[in-house]
Amino acid sequence: MLSYNPGPVIEIFDPVADEAGVRVLIKREDQNHRFVSGNKWWKLKNNLVEAKRLGKNTILTFGGAYSNHIFSTAAAANELQFQSIGIIRGEEITPLNATLQFAKEKGMQLHFVTRESYRRKTETDFIQSLEDLFGDFYLIPEGGSNELAVKGCEEFGNQLSTLEFDYLCLPVGTGGTLAGIIRGIPERKVIGFSALKGGVFLKDDVLRFTPQSVTDWQINTDYHFGGYAKTTDSLIKFITSFESKHNVLLDQVYTGKMMFGVFDLIKKGFFSQGTTILILHTGGLQGKSF
């Protein structure tokens, strides 16, 4: 099993929240592991157990050049003595960026494919071509989102259910973590903040893993700041100010957008007075670019 350090729940005090009469808590899951941080720990853990049960020695997965998932999978595989292969979207650019250099140093074999080929990552014949090339492996999908990953996030949600809060807020990439959290705390209100432009489609991805009877959740698509990994001066200014005031680091891809969205909704009166908001810090700080 991957090593795990329980991240604390901290309360932050901010004039915006004080004026609105709401309480803001942050679950510091970014501190749960040095490299396999945040939701990635929960998404990978059951997959790694299953790989070992099946007698697989190699983990193969997919991601972009700055992927948190590639970074975390390489570290997790190294810790548990698996071989690992990363199928990377796009051509190789040298020198490697920090994410891919880290993955390589952790023993991950990097295999670069064209964007056209990468779009075929779920097709049977493409996966067969990878088996022909690399031999037997345990496949984890892009972003790590499969049933075992969702189950891991559900277990995390079960842990969070012991805390007192009215809303849980978290960033959304592929929807796997959100689906698991919804399953783990079906009686609580959950808001996922899409890091992708046009993230409405994510609702269908979440519904594939969640009971239709659980309806008290939503995906907010208003705070993508131009799309995945895109940013603006206003977002960077918010992140810098937030870090200075509260000593909590945020990245510009996921957690910064989510935090901006939460505080903007507080300003707009979305949360009623007396509400307690639990914010899930999902890690990913290796992707911080400023």
Side-chain angles (χ1 to χ4, degrees):
M1 177 65 75
L2 284 171
S3 57
Y4 181 78
N5 302 306
V9 176
I10 65 170
E11 182 168 5
I12 63 169
F13 300 93
D14 191 280
V16 171
D18 293 343
E19 185 174 343
V22 302
R23 188 180 184 207
V24 177
L25 308 175
I26 302 178
K27 176 64 167 79
R28 295 296 306 272
E29 206 57 15
D30 57 308
Q31 298 181 354
N32 64 9
H33 191 283
R34 185 180 177 188
F35 300 122
V36 193
S37 71
N39 61 327
K40 296 304 181 188
W41 192 96
W42 294 96
K43 294 176 82 172
L44 286 170
K45 79 178 195 77
N46 288 338
N47 276 289
L48 296 169
V49 169
E50 180 67 2
K52 192 168 288 289
R53 186 189 73 80
L54 293 172
K56 305 286 187 178
N57 297 314
T58 301
I59 305 296
L60 181 143
T61 195
F62 303 84
Y66 296 90
S67 168
N68 290 332
H69 174 64
I70 289 292
F71 183 97
S72 297
T73 301
N78 178 265
E79 182 174 322
L80 297 182
Q81 299 182 323
F82 286 101
Q83 300 297 313
S84 63
I85 301 167
I87 308 302
I88 310 301
R89 181 180 63 246
E91 65 182 26
E92 180 176 4
I93 298 175
T94 55
L96 296 175
N97 66 39
T99 297
L100 295 182
Q101 183 61 36
F102 172 87
K104 184 176 181 179
E105 290 171 358
K106 289 297 181 181
M108 178 174 274
Q109 182 179 346
L110 304 178
H111 181 70
F112 295 83
V113 298
T114 65
R115 293 177 181 274
E116 180 181 1
S117 295
Y118 191 86
R119 284 193 287 271
R120 301 176 55 223
K121 60 186 176 293
T122 61
E123 296 179 11
T124 302
D125 60 341
F126 182 66
I127 294 171
Q128 182 61 55
S129 72
L130 294 175
E131 290 179 344
D132 294 341
L133 181 62
F134 296 113
D136 189 40
F137 54 76
Y138 182 86
L139 188 148
I140 299 178
E142 181 182 41
S145 290
N146 57 14
E147 174 56 34
L148 287 172
V150 173
K151 180 63 177 176
C153 294
E154 180 181 358
E155 294 165 9
F156 181 41
N158 289 335
Q159 290 189 13
L160 296 176
S161 68
T162 62
L163 302 174
E164 295 292 331
F165 61 91
D166 302 295
Y167 283 87
L168 185 141
C169 297
L170 73 160
V172 178
T174 59
T177 302
L178 175 59
I181 292 295
I182 291 166
R183 281 170 30 176
I185 51 170
E187 74 286 356
R188 308 292 184 94
K189 297 181 178 67
V190 180
I191 305 175
F193 290 81
S194 173
L196 288 68
K197 186 177 183 179
V200 175
F201 74 92
L202 289 168
K203 183 174 182 180
D204 289 335
D205 292 342
V206 172
L207 286 170
R208 289 194 296 117
F209 293 106
T210 54
Q212 292 187 356
S213 58
V214 181
T215 59
D216 211 356
W217 61 274
Q218 61 179 281
I219 298 178
N220 187 298
T221 60
D222 294 336
Y223 300 98
H224 55 75
F225 291 89
Y228 182 74
K230 300 289 182 62
T231 189
T232 66
D233 290 343
S234 63
L235 176 62
I236 299 303
K237 182 178 179 180
F238 169 84
I239 291 173
T240 302
S241 175
F242 187 91
E243 292 175 343
S244 176
K245 288 190 290 186
H246 304 298
N247 197 31
V248 176
L249 296 180
L250 304 172
D251 76 285
Q252 75 284 356
V253 180
Y254 290 106
T255 56
K257 294 179 179 182
M258 177 261 307
M259 196 70 73
F260 186 106
V262 171
F263 275 82
D264 194 50
L265 290 180
I266 292 174
K267 290 178 186 176
K268 293 176 176 177
F270 177 88
F271 302 103
S272 59
Q273 190 171 4
T275 294
T276 296
I277 305 165
L278 177 63
I279 298 173
L280 179 56
H281 195 312
T282 53
L285 293 174
Q286 69 88 20
K288 189 177 177 69
S289 62
F290 64 96

